[in-house]
Amino acid sequence: MRLSSLSSDGGSDGGSAQSKNDSSGSGAQKLDRKESYKAQRKNYRIEKKRVEKELLSTFKDETIIVLADWLKVRGSLKSWTKLWCVLKPGLLLLYRSQKCKSSHWIGTIILSTCELIERPSKKDGFCFKLFHPMDQSIWASKGPEGESIGAVVQPLPTSHLIFRAPTNAAGKCWMDALELALRCSSLLTARKTNRNSSFLEDSIDSTLDTEVRYENDSDVEKHFKADLEDGGSLTDEGEHGIEGVTERSDEDDSAEASDEISVIEDIAVMPPHTNYMCDQQEVFGTTGDQTEEFSDENKSIVWFLMKQVRPGMDLSRVVLPTFILENRSFLDKISDYYYHADIISKAAAENEPFMRMKTVVQWYLSGFYKKPKGLKKPYNPILGETFRCYWEHGNGAKTFYLAEQVSHHPPISSFYATNRQDGFTISGTILAKSKFYGNSTSAILDGVATLSMLARGEDYVMTMPYAHCKGILMGTMTMELGGKVNINCEKTGYNTELEFKLRPFLGGGELTNAVSGRIKIGKETLAVIDGHWDDKVTIKDKKTGHEEILWQITPEIKSSRLKRFTVPVEEQSEWESASLWQHVGRAISNEDQVAATEEKTKLEVAQRQALTDRKEVCEEWVTKLFEHEGIQFNIDGTPSEVPKYTYKHADIRPWDPRNDLQQYENNYVVCTKTRHKTPMIRTQSIVSVLDGDKPPNERVSSISRRRKTRDLESKKQRSQDSDTSNAGLPSANEKHPRGSSSSNSNIQEALKPLIDEQRAMSERIGKLNHSIEVCLYQQKERDSHTNLNRDLVLLVILVVMIQAVLNWVLTERANRQS
């Protein structure tokens, strides 16, 4: 019994010892799993960063290129843009030019999320489409060098992209290359999974009794989740231990989320932008202020100027005295039209085409009633002078206005106003001309302005009246507006004709500042307009006879003018209007005409010296904000003598309230802050910006050069494909790019003399075209002078006849009374 008891006691001790060993072994196993999980999470982040570095190296490595060539890409507005496309494994990069600079980057397409399909097309070439099957974004959030905003081109779709190759062979080549790049991206994904699997397999502790294998991250998470459900906490027992594990999981998830690159921009952070401040209170002149008499001193100056001119002469080259100058530039003067830009916002929101035209006319009339104190003329802008400002609307939208003097002789000013949030842009180019008629002069604004309603695709093309000043030599000087203007919308067919009437020679005081017109569709008149542009204008429906006020100047209208914001003078560049003319303006405000004349002369002398310097080195003036786009056409379709200039950074995309937040301006570029970083493409031209600056015959040579390069690259691609199938010959793949690059350099060296010769010929042709334009302009001026002289003679004869008739009537009346 004793032995049995001893044996039983020993057995119980041995059983307790065995149970302790089992519990300690399970605790060690749990501890090993915890340490293994931590190590896995750490190596998971390291592996993730390593893959990101590999992707960035693929971005920047110029040797890893599957195919690169020009393709036409269809934008959101169904217009085609020619872009330089670079295909890499898993990626398709779009550039504005062949240089592949950071500033020319447009966007990057992630091919692993895309499907490829051939797309039928009626036009020449070969079309194919890259699209996301779930209609999600195919764009990467950042560029190869961390760019967040793409180059300025036209808008591209988010979930798909349609490409057009020039030929079927080129299209098939691109299809094969994209298939290869898609396979490369899938292999990369598979390799990442295998790498994680091998890492997880190797990280399992060899002390475990059973062999554990994990295929991917989800299996790991499931394993540890099951382990926690079965054994509770890895640290403590009970509910507190489970909460501790949950908190740790949240920290890991937040750490993992911090590694992700968010595609949503921070709404609270404002990008770099220009600092503006509100303008001072405006000063309004009255109708009585539009008459003025010269002092004896100023009359002598006027008579001295009259000796230098003749009737019909253009006054753009005549230096005018400072006492007739208004204290602001002509570029600033044009901005008077936008103090009621909220009326355009109402027009863009109207549903009926007639109401839109009617509201546009209302806005057009709102730009004339602000008058200076006395008869004043704004400064003639200096070549290269710029001006910028904006108006803030009640809904928070902003109308930005930018202007530049793009030519001095003849004086040409270009301007651009934009408010994408309210759905409109305005652009125009004006040639300012002055005509002298003896006792009067006219300031003619030749050119057109185009109001574009972005969401509707409507363009309202309008002309401007001329300013007529009479009584220069005899009588009281007065200023009026005259001439016929048109506002035409080709898309809707509506047209408005307005006539600003001059006061007649005899009587007619009720016709001072009178305006009349009509709104038509085709040849049918829908409404008649009549009134005074500085007081009240009414509109009468032609069918119903109903008459209402179209525009009236009231104290409420003046108080509702939008507040204008400009850049402080101390923060402006040397070429901005307020900074450029500040000394002249200060002297005019102090009524110091001598100092004003001296400061004005300094600017004129500096401008002439700059012109002389450019001629000596054979340099042409290069505009800053606007680019020349050829001939501009009048409303009737005839070519205009005013060239066409467009704003380089124009954005004509309709406003997207889900993505677009607000517009802002930085360094004369009007940008849009968005929620998501998407490529912004804004030009409708299918010719690249790089080729657009080249002469036509050099473009031909570049096209032929691209074809040769395309053939070489296609041969290179075919050889690379064949070499890829031979795994045992890696040296061929290494040597081939060197031979291709050397052949390309040889071709470029051979073509360099031809390109230089063509560039010289294009420069000669450009100078010849400029000489022809100058000759045509001078001939037109001489013809207009001849017509004006004839009209002046007829006018004198008419005045003499009227005077004779009046003398006869007065003589007869005196004889009857006697």
Side-chain angles (χ1 to χ4, degrees), residues 81 109 197 203 320 339 443 451 470 495 519 630 700 723 770 777:
T81 303
I109 298 175
S197 300
S203 64
L320 298 177
Y339 280 93
L451 165 62
K470 55 186 178 181
N495 178 48
I519 300 177
V700 174
D723 292 339
H770 179 71
Y777 180 78

Side-chain angles (χ1 to χ4, degrees), residues 393-608:
H393 296 235
N395 61 350
K398 296 178 181 179
T399 297
F400 287 91
Y401 168 83
L402 305 103
E404 179 186 1
Q405 189 72 8
V406 296
S407 174
H408 187 63
H409 288 302
I412 299 176
S413 306
S414 292
F415 61 90
Y416 178 78
T418 176
N419 186 339
R420 287 187 56 242
Q421 184 170 346
D422 286 350
F424 67 87
T425 63
I426 304 174
S427 59
T429 302
I430 296 175
L431 169 60
K433 298 187 294 185
S434 301
K435 297 294 183 180
F436 177 67
Y437 303 108
N439 194 39
S440 63
T441 182
S442 294
I444 302 170
L445 302 181
D446 197 2
V448 296
T450 303
L451 165 62
S452 300
M453 295 189 180
L454 305 180
R456 304 184 183 277
E458 297 176 357
D459 291 336
Y460 293 79
V461 183
M462 58 196 73
T463 56
M464 282 153 281
Y466 63 87
H468 187 74
C469 179
K470 55 186 178 181
I472 297 177
L473 301 179
M474 296 175 291
T476 302
M477 283 185 60
T478 58
M479 196 279 291
E480 303 172 90
L481 295 180
K484 295 182 179 180
V485 300
N486 288 276
I487 306 173
N488 182 44
C489 180
E490 184 177 0
K491 184 174 181 179
T492 61
Y494 283 84
N495 178 48
T496 298
E497 298 176 355
L498 293 175
E499 181 181 3
F500 291 81
K501 299 178 181 179
L502 298 176
R503 183 175 178 177
F505 184 72
L506 297 175
E510 69 281 357
L511 296 179
T512 302
N513 297 336
V515 62
S516 62
R518 51 185 177 174
I519 300 177
K520 303 190 301 180
I521 180 169
K523 296 183 179 180
E524 180 185 1
T525 301
L526 301 179
V528 178
I529 300 171
D530 190 36
H532 297 81
W533 54 263
D534 61 340
D535 186 13
K536 182 176 73 173
V537 180
T538 60
I539 183 171
K540 183 177 181 180
D541 190 283
K542 193 69 179 295
K543 290 184 178 180
T544 63
H546 175 68
E547 186 174 2
E548 61 179 338
I549 296 176
L550 177 65
W551 177 250
Q552 186 174 12
I553 313 300
T554 61
E556 291 77 14
I557 289 293
K558 292 184 178 181
S559 62
S560 67
R561 289 170 67 90
L562 301 178
K563 297 295 183 183
R564 192 179 78 165
F565 293 79
T566 55
V567 182
V569 178
E570 58 273 10
E571 298 181 18
Q572 293 184 8
S573 65
E574 60 177 347
W575 288 100
E576 296 195 50
S577 295
S579 175
L580 198 64
W581 296 93
Q582 59 178 329
H583 303 296
V584 180
R586 188 182 300 112
I588 292 177
S589 300
N590 296 334
E591 296 183 356
D592 188 352
Q593 303 301 333
V594 176
T597 303
E598 291 177 354
E599 295 295 337
K600 182 171 176 287
T601 304
K602 291 179 183 179
L603 294 176
E604 294 167 349
V605 171
Q607 183 173 220
R608 296 189 191 102

Side-chain angles (χ1 to χ4, degrees), residues 600-625:
K600 182 171 176 287
T601 304
K602 291 179 183 179
L603 294 176
E604 294 167 349
V605 171
Q607 183 173 220
R608 296 189 191 102
Q609 184 61 41
L611 176 61
T612 304
D613 295 341
R614 287 196 301 272
K615 287 183 177 180
E616 290 178 354
V617 296
C618 298
E619 285 185 0
E620 295 291 335
W621 175 259
V622 179
T623 55
K624 305 170 184 176
L625 311 178

Side-chain angles (χ1 to χ4, degrees), residues 243-290:
E243 290 177 0
V245 172
T246 305
E247 292 174 2
R248 177 62 182 171
S249 176
D250 291 339
E251 290 175 2
D252 291 340
D253 292 339
S254 63
E256 180 180 354
S258 65
D259 292 338
E260 300 287 342
I261 299 175
S262 175
V263 298
I264 302 179
E265 294 188 0
D266 191 352
I267 299 177
V269 178
M270 192 64 187
H273 59 283
T274 305
N275 179 37
Y276 285 85
M277 62 179 296
C278 187
D279 268 356
Q280 299 177 356
Q281 187 175 2
E282 297 181 85
V283 178
F284 292 90
T286 62
T287 304
D289 293 329
Q290 301 308 295

